[in-house]
């Protein structure tokens, strides 16, 4: 295997308020190596009326990285580019 793959997840979360799950806006659940993963986006609790909706944008990017890369180098590679 020449490269491992890291996943970069960016949520453009426009919501403010109290997040019920300890302030987290993303949850990642994984089972085994390469078997199953589930990503959940979270928000503060809202009371919506019939016909109302809320949304957010989630960007998921797979980033190739050499096996054995140091944690600092991996963090540099995964850091989003400044706009």
């Amino acid at each position: 295997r020449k490269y491992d793959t890291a996943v970069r997840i960016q949520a453009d979360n426009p919501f403010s308020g109290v997040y019920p799950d300890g302030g987290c806006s993303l949850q990642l659940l994984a089972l085994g190596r390469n078997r199953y993963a589930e990503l959940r986006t979270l928000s503060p609790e809202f009371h919506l009326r019939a016909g109302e909706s809320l949304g957010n944008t989630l960007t998921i990017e797979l980033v190739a990285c050499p096996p054995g890369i140091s944690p600092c180098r991996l963090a540099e590679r995964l850091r989003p580019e400044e706009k």
Side-chain angles (χ1 to χ4, degrees):
R1 185 172 75 199
K2 191 172 182 178
Y3 288 96
D4 285 330
T5 304
V7 179
R8 178 181 23 218
I9 302 166
Q10 180 176 342
D12 294 329
N13 195 336
F15 311 120
S16 61
V18 177
Y19 284 75
D21 222 13
C24 297
S25 61
L26 293 173
Q27 286 181 338
L28 175 63
L29 306 138
L31 174 65
R33 185 169 175 86
N34 299 322
R35 292 189 60 206
Y36 173 83
E38 178 181 333
L39 179 66
R40 298 177 183 173
T41 60
L42 308 172
S43 74
E45 295 179 349
F46 293 98
H47 294 282
L48 298 176
R49 294 189 172 112
E52 285 185 308
S53 65
L54 294 173
N56 65 348
T57 301
L58 188 66
T59 304
I60 300 173
E61 180 180 358
L62 302 178
V63 180
C65 55
I69 191 170
S70 74
C72 291
R73 297 282 299 203
L74 180 59
E76 288 173 7
R77 188 168 242 173
L78 295 176
R79 185 174 292 121
E81 294 180 16
E82 301 271 337
K83 292 182 180 180

